[in-house]
Each structure stands twice: as structure tokens, then as C-alpha cells.
Amino acid sequence: MTPAPGLDRRTFVKGAAVATAALAVPLRGFDAAVAAAPASRGIFGYGVASGDPTGDAVVIWTRATPPPRPGEPVAIPGSGLGSPLNVVWQVSTDPAFENVIGEGNVHTHASSDHTVKVDVTGLAAYTAYWYRFKARGETSPVGRTQTAGDEPGTTHALRFALASCSNYTGGWFGAYREIARRDDLDFVLHVGDYIYEYGNGADRYGPPELIGVRDGQPATETIDLQGYRLRHALHKADEDLKAAHARHPWITIFDDHEVANNAWSDGAENHQVGEGDYLARRDQALQAYLEWMPFRVPDQSQPHQGTRFFRQFTYGDLGDLTILETRQNRSKQVDPPGGPSVTGFVPIGLDPRIDQALADPTRHLPEPEQLEWVKAAVATTGRQWHLLGNQVMVIPFRLPGAVLGAPGTTLVNADAWDGYGADQRAFLAHLAAQPAEAGDAVVLTGDIHSSWAADLPADPASTTTYTSAGVEFVTPSVTSDGFYELSASIVPAGTTPEQRVGLVGLVAGQIKSLNPWTKYLDGVGHGFVVIDVTPARVQADYFHTPTPTSAMPDPRVVRDVVPAYKRSMRTVAGSRQVTGTAGPVGPRSDHPAGA
Ligand SMILES: [Fe+2]
């Protein structure tokens, strides 16, 4: 059992020196009183978290705010202020800490924003543990975590929550509250948009009812290290998110909004002139991400470009979970005729230059080294399921242009795999070429703020008939605007919530007929998905907020609303297809030791 050897992010993230220099300038949009509130509740006001559980290790995390000495300012996240602090960590096999099996010391300081991360190793597989931190006479809340059921020759139950797109100003985190309440999950898989970069002004993202109730910190767009640190701290101070982190380990990967909307390797739709150098911004954003998330940076020795974030977890012979990272090295998105748009949708079949660019084999979503690594992962034999934690949808998704004000056209999302046609085609063909003994691929995706279950057509150019090469389950957003919210901009004033729900249902029907591999699509509910894996099948249980009505037009703004069970889909081993099924799943077939 050892603490992580010197978590020096300068090894991994270029531009840290730039970030440190930036601390000398006055803090932008910094409301010290609000920002300090969670920290003022004590040294451990941002809670505890754990992550990246393997069969014998898990990362534990906290933020330890040094108590200010008389006359000293509070070490607000991102401020670069505060004296170093010695923090003791403890791991126990029981919540009362009567059997502490590991402990140690970590020295934290302003250069890591007073965050603390320890990679606790030497643990037993498929076992529950409790952890806490101590400093200056204070003890943190107790976190529960567990290691992976990764024992050769033994098949354990595997069940986890899938989440994405948790816009703080978009609503209360009822999904996280419900996830925290569950005691049957191995971990939470968050596939991106854990934070959003927008400010509280004209760029505010979310329902107006929450202005003054759930405002972003900082108040302006996050563009530098102090801004991203404070935005992460704001999330870690949210009571529902804090509870979900304390209850389960998390496996996370960033998407675009952890940096800026529709990011690519050297820019982003939401990175403008006047916001500085994009790569410096990205490196500061990712530095804050690594400081504030219970993330284990993987071994950097395998082939990769930049920092390697893609990594894999294994679960005995049941399966593996491959985590893709598709922002750092992706080619620039193909722009619509009028230039970059927030949505990223472009017409197909209208402008040959757009069609050629979408299919250009020199443009990539994952860089070639990563795509080869993913292809090898799904070709591995000896495990039934190859689960892929992925950011943007793999399936072809053709949208009737009328939905976005372009009747008579068909649109695709240039920010998703559709926008990188050569990679999409190669990956789907590779899946289709795998023999039965390679098992089956299940892609787990977020990003599009709606719930989907679909077959993966072997040929993305398929129309009415297709061969299925695997399946994709897509989680709705925790809070970010979905199809229902977007519909407000295209309906006449006075349209009722019930009428808008009906309209979204009609559009979903059109999308399903244009994309016949889509077996389930809901554009209204927010929430999460529970993924339950057995040797025989993978089941996805969708949990949604209530359908809006005239009495409750936006459930996201109601503090006590949590998502409830809505629908189940599954794929049976060997079928490589998705079908509806009864649900939700019942008790686990077995539980980790100590749970
Ligand atoms: Fe999102």
C-alpha cells in the first residue's frame, strides 16, 4: 500500500508553468464570499472521492483547505493562496475504522490547489473499503469505495451507473442524489461534460428560474487555471454530487466542456480571439481536472500523442471497460457553410466539399495510435463483453434538417463519429469482422443529452437494412438542455409543455425511421442509466426526471425531483443487437466482501 509517487502533473501536462504565472494576475469573476462558503465549513468542505478502481488499487481524493492563521486570506480554490498542509489518510475494512489496513501522510500545497490524491495499492479484489483524511485536528467525511471484481476464473456481478453532461446552472443534481442513494453499484462511469465552461452572463446555459439560485463560479467563462479550479470546486461543494462521490468510486473521462464547447486538437467552437492561446487554456483546464478528479493518469510508455488519458479496466472473464479520449488529438470539425455553430450539425448531400471533408481519411477522432489500441481491445478473446466508455455517438445519426430550421436537408453531427467518417467506417467494419470468440462490443456514450439504445450498423452508409456489429447505449444528461428544452426555440409562444413533449416524440419517430438501427430514443428525460452486466446479457435501465407538464414545466428546477425508472433495453451475448426487456434489474447476484 503506497501513496502515489509524487503526483507531479508537470510531467503530464504541458503549460503548467504558464498556469503558475497566470496566478499573479487578479482573479477574474471571483466572488470570494460565495467561493469560500464550502471551504469555510472546515478543512474538508469539498468532501471526499475515490476513483479508477482496479482489482487491487483505488485512488482516494480530497481537498484540504488550510485553516487561515490570523490575518491570512482563505485558500479559496484557484486562488494560489494558503500555506502547505500535512494530511493523514486512512483506509479501513469497516466504516468505524476499527480495522485500518493502510495509512500515510501527504503534504499538499497551493501548487496543487491543496488537492490530495493517493493511489492506494495492495488491496483485495471485489472488496469494500472505507477511507478518510485528517489534518489539524479535523477529520473528513468517510468515503466508501470498492475494488473491481477482477479475479481470473471468477465471475462477479458488475453493475454501474452511466452519466454525462452535468451542467451546474442547468438544474439540481437529482441524478447524483439518486445514484448516491443506491447501494448496488460498483462504480459511476462519467463519460464527459462533468463541468461546463460557461459564465452567468449572456452565455448562461440553463433555465432562467435558477438565476441567483445555482450560479456558476467564477461568474464568467472559465478560461484559465483559477477559473477551472473554482468551477471544479463549485461542483465538489454540491451536496448531491458530494454524496455520490462519497458513496461510490468513479471512473471518468473528460469531453469538450471540461475545456470548451466542441474542442479539437488546437481550438474549440467556444474559444475566441481574446481568450488567449488555446493550448495553454486546454492544459490549464486539464491540470485542474486532474487535480480535482479521482483520476489515475495511466502509464505513458505505450504509444500515444500528447498525454495519454485512454485506459482500460478488466473484470475477470466477464469483460473489460475501455475508456476512450477523443478531444485532445481530434482533427478540426467540419464546419457548416456559415462557419462554426454551437450545435456542430452540418448538411450532407448538398455541398461536395462538406461531404468530402466528412469522409477525408486524414481526419481523425481518436488519433491513429489510440484507434489501433481500441481495435485491439475489442478483438481480445477470453472476455465476453468489451464495454467502451466513449464521449460522442458512434452510430450514424441523420437528423431531419427541419428540426434545426433547414427543411429539405439532412444533417449530421460533425462533432460526433459521423464527423470523422473514415474512423467511423473503419471502427464499425472492425467490430463486424470480429469472430464470436472475441465477444461483443457495447459502446457507452453521453454528449447528446438524450437517451438512446441502438444497434451498431457494420456499414455507416446503411439505409433500411444493415448488419449489426454491436450495440450502443447513450445516457441522457444529468441537467444539460435536451431535445425538449431545445424545442422551446422552434415552437410558437403559448405552446404547452404537453404539446412540446408530443413534438419531441414526433421528431424522435422521424429520427428512428431515418436511422433504423435506433431501437429506443427519448429526448425529454434527464437522469442516468444503470448498466448491469452478466455473462448472458448487458441490460441498460434508464432513469428519467418526470415528463414536463403545465404544472411542472421544468423538473430540473425543482430541488427534490430525482429521476425514476423509465425503461430497459438489453443485448444478449452473441446477438450483437439491442432489444427491449422488462426491468429494472433486481438485487445483485453477489456482493463485494465487506459491503
Ligand atoms: Fe454535454
Side-chain angles (χ1 to χ4, degrees):
M1 201 155 311
T2 50
L7 282 167
D8 184 3
R9 283 153 204 103
R10 281 174 181 79
T11 311
F12 304 113
V13 181
K14 291 185 297 178
V18 176
T20 307
L23 293 178
V25 303
L27 301 177
R28 302 167 47 258
F30 223 90
D31 183 338
V34 176
S40 71
R41 287 204 292 271
I43 294 174
F44 300 105
Y46 297 95
V48 298
S50 69
D52 282 5
T54 66
D56 64 357
V58 67
V59 172
I60 59 173
W61 175 96
T62 194
R63 203 265 178 170
T65 304
R69 298 192 174 88
E72 251 186 24
V74 177
I76 297 165
S79 67
L81 301 172
S83 46
L85 191 61
N86 191 51
V87 180
V88 173
W89 60 270
Q90 289 184 317
V91 173
S92 172
T93 57
D94 65 290
F97 287 79
E98 286 170 359
N99 184 34
V100 173
I101 50 97
E103 58 189 320
N105 284 278
V106 176
H107 210 57
T108 188
H109 29 73
S111 66
S112 63
D113 210 16
H114 290 98
T115 56
V116 174
K117 270 210 268 192
V118 182
D119 195 355
V120 183
T121 60
L123 302 174
Y126 204 53
T127 301
Y129 293 95
W130 287 261
Y131 60 97
R132 66 186 178 188
F133 302 87
K134 296 179 179 183
R136 301 249 189 108
E138 283 190 33
T139 302
S140 75
V142 172
R144 180 199 177 279
T145 191
Q146 74 175 66
T147 48
D150 189 22
E151 295 178 281
T154 305
T155 300
H156 291 298
L158 178 63
R159 183 178 295 179
F160 56 93
L162 171 65
S164 80
C165 299
S166 30
N167 175 29
Y168 186 87
T169 55
W172 295 98
F173 288 161
Y176 290 153
R177 193 194 303 192
E178 186 61 13
I179 286 170
R181 193 192 59 76
R182 293 187 72 123
D183 61 4
D184 62 340
L185 304 176
D186 294 298
F187 55 85
V188 177
L189 172 61
H190 197 294
V191 290
D193 293 358
Y194 179 91
I195 62 166
Y196 282 72
E197 78 276 20
Y198 300 115
N200 298 327
D203 63 343
R204 188 184 176 99
Y205 184 39
E209 295 94 321
L210 292 179
I211 293 173
V213 179
R214 273 175 86 78
D215 291 339
Q217 282 285 335
T220 51
E221 184 181 333
T222 53
I223 60 167
D224 53 23
L225 183 60
Q226 62 248 32
Y228 287 109
R229 281 172 162 174
L230 185 52
R231 191 60 58 88
H232 276 282
L234 175 74
H235 284 66
K236 287 295 191 294
D238 179 273
E239 293 301 327
D240 295 323
L241 179 50
K242 207 188 286 187
H245 274 301
R247 186 63 184 80
H248 311 289
W250 286 44
I251 296 173
T252 71
I253 186 67
F254 54 86
D255 193 19
D256 53 338
H257 287 287
E258 282 85 350
V259 183
N261 184 51
N262 286 4
W264 55 286
S265 64
D266 195 22
E269 179 274 330
N270 194 26
H271 181 76
Q272 281 90 31
V273 174
E275 292 181 333
D277 177 63
Y278 174 74
L279 291 181
R281 175 183 185 174
R282 183 198 68 186
D283 288 346
Q284 292 173 55
L286 296 184
Q287 180 183 342
Y289 186 83
L290 292 179
E291 288 170 345
W292 281 83
M293 301 297 283
F295 188 105
R296 178 189 297 113
V297 177
D299 174 24
Q300 298 291 307
S301 64
Q302 289 193 34
H304 65 283
Q305 290 179 35
T307 302
R308 181 183 159 156
F309 297 101
F310 58 87
R311 60 208 196 279
Q312 189 181 59
F313 301 87
T314 52
Y315 305 96
D317 55 10
L318 180 64
D320 44 51
L321 172 61
T322 293
I323 306 292
L324 286 79
E325 185 274 297
T326 56
R327 288 292 166 187
Q328 181 186 205
N329 294 312
R330 69 156 66 193
S331 309
K332 187 178 188 311
Q333 294 86 349
V334 175
D335 287 334
S341 72
V342 176
T343 64
F345 278 85
V346 299
I348 53 170
L350 272 187
D351 182 339
R353 287 170 304 177
I354 288 179
D355 293 340
Q356 283 163 16
L358 289 172
D360 180 353
T362 68
R363 297 178 58 258
H364 295 292
L365 182 68
E367 66 281 10
E369 295 88 344
Q370 184 180 169
L371 187 57
E372 289 310 307
W373 176 82
V374 174
K375 285 162 117 180
V378 297
T380 305
T381 56
R383 299 184 196 122
Q384 177 55 45
W385 300 106
H386 301 303
L387 311 170
L388 294 118
N390 167 60
Q391 290 80 67
V392 291
M393 278 211 309
V394 172
I395 58 161
F397 163 31
R398 294 156 196 155
L399 179 69
V403 175
L404 291 179
T409 66
T410 300
L411 307 175
V412 298
N413 182 0
D415 189 57
W417 282 73
D418 271 335
Y420 302 84
D423 282 356
Q424 183 189 46
R425 177 174 294 273
F427 182 53
L428 291 172
H430 176 78
L431 287 180
Q434 296 312 308
E437 52 268 31
D440 303 319
V442 178
V443 181
L444 305 169
T445 305
D447 178 62
I448 191 144
H449 308 175
S450 43
S451 301
W452 301 61
D455 297 336
L456 291 169
D459 178 359
S462 301
T463 51
T464 50
T465 60
Y466 63 93
T467 303
S468 185
V471 306
E472 183 165 17
F473 295 123
V474 182
T475 186
S477 68
V478 170
T479 52
S480 307
D481 286 1
F483 295 179
Y484 172 78
E485 288 79 19
L486 291 173
S487 73
S489 62
I490 59 169
V491 295
T495 306
T496 65
E498 289 82 358
Q499 289 169 326
R500 284 171 57 196
V501 169
L503 176 66
V504 172
L506 276 176
V507 170
Q510 292 172 6
I511 292 171
K512 284 164 78 172
S513 57
L514 266 176
N515 304 273
W517 34 88
T518 304
K519 305 303 179 188
Y520 172 54
L521 170 55
D522 177 282
V524 177
H526 299 278
F528 63 96
V529 182
V530 169
I531 303 290
D532 187 77
V533 186
T534 70
R537 57 101 181 101
V538 175
Q539 179 162 328
D541 292 344
Y542 293 78
F543 289 77
H544 286 170
T545 46
T547 301
T549 63
S550 297
M552 197 204 312
D554 193 342
R556 300 175 301 169
V557 307
V558 183
R559 178 71 182 92
D560 295 328
V561 165
V562 295
Y565 173 71
K566 181 78 173 185
R567 175 78 184 259
S568 295
M569 302 295 288
R570 73 171 178 180
T571 182
V572 173
S575 75
R576 298 186 179 177
Q577 288 183 321
V578 72
T579 55
T581 188
V585 291
R588 294 171 65 95
S589 58
D590 70 337
H591 291 270

